[in-house]
Amino acid sequence: RGHRSMYGIGCVVEVVTGLVIDFTILSLYCQRCACAASRYGGRDTDDFKKWYKAHDNCTANYTGSSNAMEKTAAEILWNNSLGKHNFRSRQCCQMETLAPTNMCVT
């Protein structure tokens, strides 16, 4: 069956307080791009490509598979932990097992 998610959300939650420390949202979909593709007859048309060059703030910020969204979100959050928050987590746990284990330290 696999994953067919258009969106993926990852977050870091502080265990004691339950506060969200960081989060990231990945999206395969942009409503404005979908409407423009419909209006211009597809994404391969010259009219769409011209429109796309001027398209600001596209909400589609991820191009991989839906299956890999969890891993990518975990990598983004892991890389943010030192640079953005000046900490490195001591334990990595999750509901599913798709995130790479080389990021988890004990």
Side-chain angles (χ1 to χ4, degrees):
R1 293 183 300 172
H3 295 281
R4 290 186 230 146
S5 302
M6 298 300 275
Y7 304 98
I9 301 170
C11 63
V12 176
V13 179
E14 205 279 330
V15 176
V16 175
T17 64
L19 295 174
V20 174
I21 297 169
D22 196 6
F23 71 94
T24 188
I25 300 171
L26 302 176
S27 174
L28 287 167
Y29 182 75
C30 176
Q31 178 67 33
R32 291 172 56 199
C33 286
C35 289
S38 177
R39 184 179 329 128
Y40 295 121
R43 294 176 182 260
D44 294 328
T45 64
D46 290 335
D47 289 337
F48 177 82
K49 290 176 184 177
K50 182 178 177 183
W51 173 87
Y52 188 77
K53 283 184 182 179
H55 177 42
D56 291 345
N57 300 319
C58 185
T59 59
N61 61 358
Y62 178 73
T63 57
S65 70
S66 295
N67 222 10
M69 273 188 189
E70 182 180 355
K71 176 184 178 229
T72 302
E75 289 172 349
I76 290 168
L77 293 170
W78 181 260
N79 290 331
N80 283 351
S81 65
L82 273 180
K84 190 174 178 182
H85 303 292
N86 198 28
F87 77 92
R88 182 67 81 186
S89 60
R90 291 177 34 217
Q91 186 176 15
C92 177
C93 60
Q94 60 204 24
M95 298 295 275
E96 297 181 33
T97 59
L98 297 175
T101 56
N102 63 345
M103 292 186 341
C104 301
V105 293
T106 56

